[in-house]
Amino acid sequence: MGTTLHPTPHRPLPLRDGVDPVCFRLPQHLPAAWEGRPAASILLERFDRSQDFLAAQLAAGTIVDDDGHPITATTPARGGLALWSYRLLPAHEPIVPLDMPILYRDDTLLVIDKPHFLPTIPRGRYVTHTALVQLRRQLAAAGDTAAAAAITPAHRLDRLTAGVLLFTLRKDARGPYQTLFSHGLTQKTYLAIAPLPHPTRSPRTLPLLDGQAVEIRSRIVVSRNRLDCYEEPGKPNAHTTVELVDSRGDHGLYRLTPHTGKTHQLRVHMNSLGTNLVGDPLYPVVAEDSPDHPEDPQRTLQLLAAQLSFPPPHQADAGSSPADACHPAALHDSGTRVYRSERTLRWPDGTPAPHHRYLPPMKGS
């Protein structure tokens, strides 16, 4: 059958208020029931909850194919035909924190300090209340329409995770920077708050109490049928270094260094040690969906992408200038880029947990 509405890199329609158009593409081999039917009727049938919204776009001639030619009510269905349109935005999108301090900006990169609960990109109930759409709107409002159209996340943070998040602002920069992340050429340091190690929960945690690091290697599985990820026997595909760097009461502050980038890797590995993160709604048990509580540290995932560093790819650096303004939390020295979050985790009692002294030093600082 045909694919669902989805974003794609090639867009014959422009952004609309920072939101991508979406595409419904007919399969190359049409089902017998679709033969001889108008393509628009299949679209309206397939997305019946958005029928009125799509019908209005059809009448206005704003549903188009890959070449930007309008789809009409009589355009016949054919294999591989794309029907581009604009999505129906949620009537009541969940409210999330939208404060995104900019850590660094030049012609190529935009680095923000993402708050907890803000999604990186549109997904599910969250469309406009996402970092990507909000940044597009800010860039467009400032008159930088080229950057607004080209901005792309070089990596992603979970909605519940706060910290350093990097975007590229030029199409030719996407590949080089995304390759840095996919090839493990970045150094990411996270901080997290979780219960102190306890030998009855996991003997593997004992070295942490002596100030030693613990290396966790396991095979993590992502399933479309589950919200959480899980470990299974087999060749490891995830590796994390865990260190206990501070404590307060019966909780510890952990420095986590991921050497791979599997979904929920840090949360899964901490849970495997019996030290599941404070505020985690998925581990060890999937909790019922509930409203966000950013004011409550015990219901906010205490996980922070605290520092990110990497060597810049030369291809993507052509648009940078030595005179580019640099935030105090960003440092470029000898070609190495370092960005540090200024957010602070909180202990369960609400007390801030200062963490900068536990991060790798910023060269020159």
Side-chain angles (χ1 to χ4, degrees):
M1 301 297 284
T3 60
T4 57
L5 291 168
H6 63 282
T8 177
H10 171 70
R11 297 187 301 245
L13 292 175
L15 297 173
R16 188 170 70 173
D17 200 17
V19 180
D20 288 295
V22 288
C23 178
F24 172 64
R25 189 176 299 277
L26 300 182
Q28 289 296 333
H29 301 288
L30 293 179
W34 289 4
E35 292 285 353
R37 291 183 58 184
S41 70
I42 297 173
L43 176 70
L44 297 177
E45 177 183 276
R46 184 81 175 203
F47 300 98
D48 59 325
R49 286 183 292 181
S50 304
Q51 272 191 4
D52 293 343
F53 184 74
L54 291 170
Q57 293 184 61
L58 185 67
T62 56
I63 296 181
V64 302
D65 62 17
D66 278 333
D67 296 319
H69 299 141
I71 299 293
T72 71
T74 59
T75 302
R78 65 175 185 272
L81 177 66
L83 292 89
W84 286 87
S85 63
Y86 291 104
R87 74 177 81 198
L88 178 63
L89 299 181
H92 301 288
E93 197 166 338
I95 302 299
V96 298
L98 298 177
D99 59 305
M100 302 180 295
I102 294 177
L103 300 178
Y104 180 76
R105 163 76 198 272
D106 63 20
D107 293 338
T108 300
L109 299 180
L110 176 62
V111 187
I112 66 167
D113 206 352
K114 188 183 89 67
H116 293 284
F117 301 111
L118 177 66
T120 299
I121 61 172
R123 183 177 182 182
R125 299 178 297 164
Y126 304 90
V127 180
T128 64
H129 292 176
T130 59
L132 178 60
V133 172
Q134 292 295 315
L135 289 171
R136 282 173 173 166
R137 290 178 173 182
Q138 291 178 20
L139 291 166
D144 198 343
T145 55
I151 186 170
T152 305
H155 63 124
R156 297 182 189 177
L157 292 180
D158 287 343
R159 187 178 82 85
L160 302 182
T161 305
V164 180
L165 181 59
L166 175 79
F167 292 82
T168 59
L169 298 177
R170 303 204 327 263
K171 290 183 179 180
D172 63 331
R174 292 176 186 173
Y177 276 96
Q178 289 175 348
T179 296
L180 286 177
F181 287 88
S182 63
H183 288 191
L185 300 177
T186 64
Q187 181 180 355
K188 294 180 277 189
T189 304
Y190 288 73
L191 277 299
I193 293 177
L196 286 171
H198 197 286
T200 61
R201 290 192 294 263
S202 174
R204 288 188 296 167
T205 63
L206 289 177
L208 295 174
L209 296 172
D210 294 329
Q212 301 178 41
V214 169
E215 304 293 337
I216 306 177
R217 295 178 175 85
S218 70
R219 183 169 189 80
I220 294 178
V221 178
V222 181
S223 172
R224 292 184 178 181
N225 301 319
R226 296 177 55 163
L227 293 175
D228 60 336
C229 301
Y230 59 94
E231 295 173 299
E232 69 174 15
K235 183 179 179 180
N237 61 6
H239 174 201
T240 304
T241 300
V242 179
E243 301 166 273
L244 177 64
V245 295
D246 199 355
S247 64
R248 182 183 179 88
D250 56 0
H251 284 79
L253 179 66
Y254 296 83
R255 179 170 56 217
L256 309 177
T257 306
H259 305 285
T260 51
K262 299 299 291 183
T263 301
H264 292 184
Q265 175 178 318
L266 302 179
R267 298 161 70 181
V268 171
H269 279 169
M270 289 297 285
N271 183 59
S272 74
L273 292 177
T275 52
N276 51 288
L277 303 186
V278 170
D280 197 328
L282 296 183
Y283 307 95
V285 178
V286 176
E288 292 185 5
D289 192 24
S290 63
D292 297 335
H293 294 276
E295 76 289 345
D296 185 346
Q298 298 195 54
R299 290 193 284 181
T300 298
L301 181 68
Q302 295 302 310
L303 178 62
L304 177 69
Q307 186 164 300
L308 171 67
S309 64
F310 53 84
H314 297 295
Q315 289 175 292
D317 261 5
S320 300
S321 164
D324 288 330
C326 196
H327 189 282
L331 177 71
H332 299 177
D333 182 33
S334 301
T336 298
R337 297 174 179 264
V338 184
Y339 306 102
R340 176 176 288 181
S341 172
E342 296 187 324
R343 297 189 182 276
T344 304
L345 295 177
R346 290 184 290 165
W347 299 104
D349 64 5
T351 304
H355 59 265
H356 283 173
R357 64 182 179 275
Y358 302 120
L359 296 176
M362 298 177 75
K363 293 181 181 180
S365 61

